[in-house]
């Protein structure tokens, strides 16, 4: 009897020891997870939060991702996952709906492309299974090119809706897996009788620059999004919202409409990337702007350079002034045809155009390799616009510079921009931070 009690006692102690060891290992593991998130300034909200990636090797070990996809990622320059990729990719691989916010140039596009390609490659079916929406044709084309590079060799077929739609396109789209489009072009096809496109098989609906797409009125796509959202009626559909900035109403919409949503933020919300050296320059008057930009160019610039203005009329006026000075400059705006805009973008990418004058058309998501300088010729109308504009430089870990002109008339909005600069570690005169907030 004594031996039995002693044996039972020993077994009990061993069980307790095993439980304690498991608890200790689990605590150490959680400590490591928290360390990775803290190191990369990853903030995650939601239930059953997936663990972040330590490296791209985790995708092979934990998710059996193919070597083809990882080789393609390496080809385009990713050796380690960026902070947004570390947390977003596992969330999407777990088929979670997601709202992701990270600074411009931080690898958000690849963060949703990788899990989509992995998921679609594993499950072969007919019809569109992934739909990605972007607010401008330029950004949609860029996303389409990124999909082409990362899906190379997987056998997946991509489709981009062009302006000219063949009559038989509705029959041919069934052979494609992934669709990239702007909302208005997609809506046009959905509204045909019968509809030229079928979204019933869509399993991933991704909205890039989603805060822009949710804007109301002329500049937004809220009504079109509602129609597209309804057309993607598969019970297997999962949705992802990505942007560098998120307005409060978009966040609330996601919490109400997305199922068990995971929210991922990198760094401070609605903040500028710290790889950009930011500067405010007082130019006095409108004429002072022209004098200031000529002085910057004559002192010597390292192209490529982006110059932002408020309207297509302003873009054309500034272009006429600078081309008269014999500068290597061009302009892009909504007043030009799509063919003209494509040609300008191609010349800028190839280095044939050194200075590109643009409107908000180019302020969202466009990734020009190695833009060294952004000049805000016209003061941005909001802090979010400012963040997106200057985010065209300092991308993918590179350094860049942004100069913002301001006049007496712009002082009322100066404080919001000054606060963003301070958060990014850029010096600003103290008086700017003490200015009164503008009233409604």
């Amino acid at each position: 009897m004594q031996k039995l009690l002693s044996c039972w006692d020993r077994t009990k102690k061993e069980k307790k020891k095993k439980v304690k060891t498991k608890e200790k290992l689990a605590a150490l593991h959680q400590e490591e997870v928290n360390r990775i998130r803290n190191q990369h300034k990853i903030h995650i909200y939601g239930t059953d939060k997936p663990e972040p990636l330590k490296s791209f090797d985790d995708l092979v070990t934990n998710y059996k991702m193919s070597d083809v996809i990882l080789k393609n990622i390496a080809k385009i320059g990713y050796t380690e996952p960026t902070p947004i990729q570390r947390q977003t990719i596992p969330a999407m691989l777990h088929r979670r709906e997601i709202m992701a916010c990270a600074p411009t140039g931080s690898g958000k596009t690849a963060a949703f492309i990788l899990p989509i390609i992995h998921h679609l490659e594993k499950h072969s079916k007919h019809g569109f299974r992934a739909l990605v929406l972007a607010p401008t044709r330029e950004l949609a084309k860029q996303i389409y090119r990124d999909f082409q590079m990362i899906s190379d060799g997987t056998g997946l077929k991509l489709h981009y809706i062009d302006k000219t739609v063949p009559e038989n396109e509705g029959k041919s789209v069934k052979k494609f897996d992934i669709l990239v489009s702007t909302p208005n072009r997609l809506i046009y096809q959905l509204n045909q009788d019968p509809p030229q496109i079928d979204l019933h098989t869509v399993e991933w609906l991704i909205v890039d620059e989603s805060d822009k797409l949710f804007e109301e009125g002329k500049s937004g796509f809220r009504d079109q999004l509602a129609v597209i959202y309804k057309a993607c009626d598969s019970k297997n559909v999962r949705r992802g919202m990505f942007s560098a900035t998120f307005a409060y109403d978009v966040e609330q919409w996601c919490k109400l409409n997305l199922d068990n949503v995971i929210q991922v933020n990198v760094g401070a919300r609605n903040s500028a990337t710290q790889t950009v050296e930011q500067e405010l320059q007082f130019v006095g008057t409108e004429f002072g702007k022209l004098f200031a930009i000529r002085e910057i160019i004559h002192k010597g610039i390292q192209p490529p350079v982006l110059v932002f203005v408020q309207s297509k009329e302003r873009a054309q006026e500034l272009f006429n002034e600078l081309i008269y000075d014999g500068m290597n400059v061009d302009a892009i705006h909504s007043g030009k045809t799509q063919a003209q805009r494509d040609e300008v973008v191609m010349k800028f990418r190839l280095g044939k155009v050194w200075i590109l004058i643009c409107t908000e058309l180019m302020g969202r998501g466009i990734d020009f390799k190695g833009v060294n300088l952004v000049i805000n010729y016209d003061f941005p109308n909001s802090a979010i616009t400012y963040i997106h504009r200057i985010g065209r430089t300092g991308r993918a870990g590179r350094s860049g510079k942004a100069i913002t002109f301001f006049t007496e008339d712009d002082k009322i909005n100066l404080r919001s921009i000054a606060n963003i600069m301070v958060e990014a570690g850029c010096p600003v005169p103290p008086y700017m931070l003490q200015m009164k907030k503008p009233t409604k």
Side-chain angles (χ1 to χ4, degrees):
M1 185 68 178
Q2 189 67 36
K3 280 184 179 179
L4 274 171
L5 285 169
S6 178
C7 187
W8 181 78
D9 222 28
R10 201 162 49 247
T11 307
K12 195 176 176 184
K13 281 179 183 176
E14 282 173 3
K15 279 183 180 177
K16 276 186 179 179
K17 195 176 178 182
K18 281 181 182 177
V19 168
K20 280 186 179 178
T21 304
K22 278 184 181 178
E23 286 174 353
K24 194 174 180 181
L25 287 170
L28 286 170
H29 183 71
Q30 190 56 49
E31 217 173 90
E32 174 66 5
V33 166
N34 293 339
R35 186 195 65 77
I36 293 170
R37 286 181 180 145
N38 291 336
Q39 181 188 343
H40 298 285
K41 298 178 182 177
I42 298 167
H43 308 282
I44 180 168
Y45 310 93
T47 58
D48 301 324
K49 296 173 276 197
E51 292 177 12
L53 300 174
K54 295 186 190 76
S55 70
F56 281 129
D57 292 340
D58 289 354
L59 294 174
V60 178
T61 311
N62 301 336
Y63 301 101
K64 305 293 184 280
M65 190 170 280
S66 72
D67 288 340
V68 173
I69 301 173
L70 294 175
K71 281 175 184 174
N72 290 339
I73 273 290
K75 276 182 197 172
I76 62 174
Y78 288 111
T79 53
E80 283 291 317
T82 66
I84 192 64
Q85 291 166 4
R86 285 180 192 276
Q87 190 61 76
T88 301
I89 292 172
M92 289 182 66
L93 289 173
H94 280 90
R95 299 280 293 151
R96 296 293 295 277
E97 298 204 299
I98 192 158
M99 173 183 171
C101 182
T104 52
S106 58
K108 288 188 292 297
T109 307
F112 62 73
I113 288 179
L114 248 75
I116 286 174
I117 290 173
H118 173 72
H119 174 75
L120 301 192
E121 186 189 30
K122 295 285 180 188
H123 307 90
S124 182
K125 292 178 186 176
H126 293 294
F128 290 121
R129 290 177 291 140
L131 166 61
V132 180
L133 297 172
T136 65
R137 284 172 281 189
E138 284 73 19
L139 180 54
K141 280 188 176 178
Q142 181 180 289
I143 293 169
Y144 177 75
R145 284 194 297 270
D146 288 342
F147 262 111
Q148 282 181 314
M149 289 186 284
I150 299 173
S151 68
D152 185 34
T154 64
L156 293 172
K157 293 185 173 65
L158 314 170
H159 185 58
Y160 169 77
I161 299 180
D162 212 340
K163 196 169 187 178
T164 51
V165 184
E167 285 181 20
N168 63 347
E169 184 161 317
K171 295 173 186 175
S172 66
V173 292
K174 288 184 180 178
K175 65 185 180 184
F176 294 103
D177 302 289
I178 299 163
L179 174 64
V180 183
S181 180
T182 55
N184 52 352
R185 289 189 171 186
L186 183 55
I187 288 288
Y188 174 81
Q189 293 204 7
L190 287 172
N191 286 341
Q192 299 304 300
D193 189 18
Q196 289 185 331
I197 211 152
D198 183 358
L199 302 180
H200 299 302
T201 52
V202 169
E203 295 174 39
W204 276 110
L205 168 58
I206 302 294
V207 183
D208 198 18
E209 298 299 340
S210 50
D211 58 337
K212 179 69 180 171
L213 285 165
F214 272 83
E215 284 179 13
E216 295 192 41
K218 194 177 177 182
S219 62
F221 299 83
R222 193 179 285 247
D223 294 340
Q224 291 103 312
L225 261 182
V227 175
I228 294 164
Y229 188 90
K230 195 175 177 182
C232 299
D233 58 1
S234 165
K235 64 180 181 181
N236 297 319
V237 72
R238 291 291 180 270
R239 289 147 295 213
M241 306 289 166
F242 287 76
S243 189
T245 53
F246 269 124
Y248 175 76
D249 58 340
V250 179
E251 189 175 337
Q252 292 306 108
W253 186 94
C254 289
K255 285 176 180 176
L256 285 169
N257 293 280
L258 300 187
D259 180 34
N260 195 15
V261 64
I262 287 278
Q263 188 176 339
V264 179
N265 302 327
V266 173
R269 288 285 301 274
N270 296 346
S271 61
T273 177
Q274 296 187 347
T275 54
V276 179
E277 179 193 339
Q278 301 170 58
E279 181 186 319
L280 284 163
Q281 186 172 333
F282 180 64
V283 293
T285 62
E286 277 299 314
F287 180 75
K289 291 181 182 181
L290 195 56
F291 179 80
I293 196 168
R294 280 176 171 149
E295 189 175 33
I296 289 168
I297 294 167
H298 286 141
K299 275 182 181 176
I301 54 165
Q302 190 178 348
V305 177
L306 281 174
V307 181
F308 281 99
V309 293
Q310 291 289 38
S311 66
K312 61 185 178 184
E313 291 79 18
R314 299 271 295 162
Q316 202 57 45
E317 285 168 14
L318 182 58
F319 170 75
N320 293 338
E321 289 285 352
L322 296 184
I323 200 79
Y324 180 77
D325 292 348
M327 294 174 188
N328 189 347
V329 63
D330 211 330
I332 185 168
H333 49 73
S334 60
K336 294 196 171 189
T337 65
Q338 188 59 43
Q340 289 171 328
R341 280 154 57 176
D342 288 345
E343 187 182 0
V344 171
V345 168
M346 185 183 69
K347 284 181 177 177
F348 189 64
R349 288 189 189 279
L350 294 172
K352 293 179 180 178
V353 170
W354 288 10
I355 304 165
L356 182 58
I357 303 164
C358 48
T359 58
E360 289 312 303
L361 184 73
M362 307 304 285
R364 290 273 182 160
I366 297 293
D367 186 18
F368 291 118
K369 301 295 180 194
V371 168
N372 291 305
L373 175 64
V374 168
I375 299 173
N376 284 315
Y377 189 82
D378 288 338
F379 201 79
N381 56 17
S382 71
I384 283 177
T385 298
Y386 175 77
I387 289 167
H388 283 279
R389 281 186 183 182
I390 70 167
R392 298 315 99 212
T393 186
R395 298 177 73 80
R398 299 183 188 92
S399 60
K401 186 171 182 179
I403 300 172
T404 301
F405 296 161
F406 71 99
T407 66
E408 290 287 347
D409 295 336
D410 299 316
K411 281 186 177 179
I412 192 168
N413 295 314
L414 205 54
R415 179 176 162 172
S416 60
I417 307 302
N419 281 327
I420 289 167
M421 291 176 65
V422 168
E423 284 175 12
C426 300
V428 298
Y431 80 87
M432 290 184 182
L433 302 172
Q434 293 159 10
M435 297 176 91
K436 289 183 180 180
K437 288 183 180 179
T439 62
K440 286 184 181 180

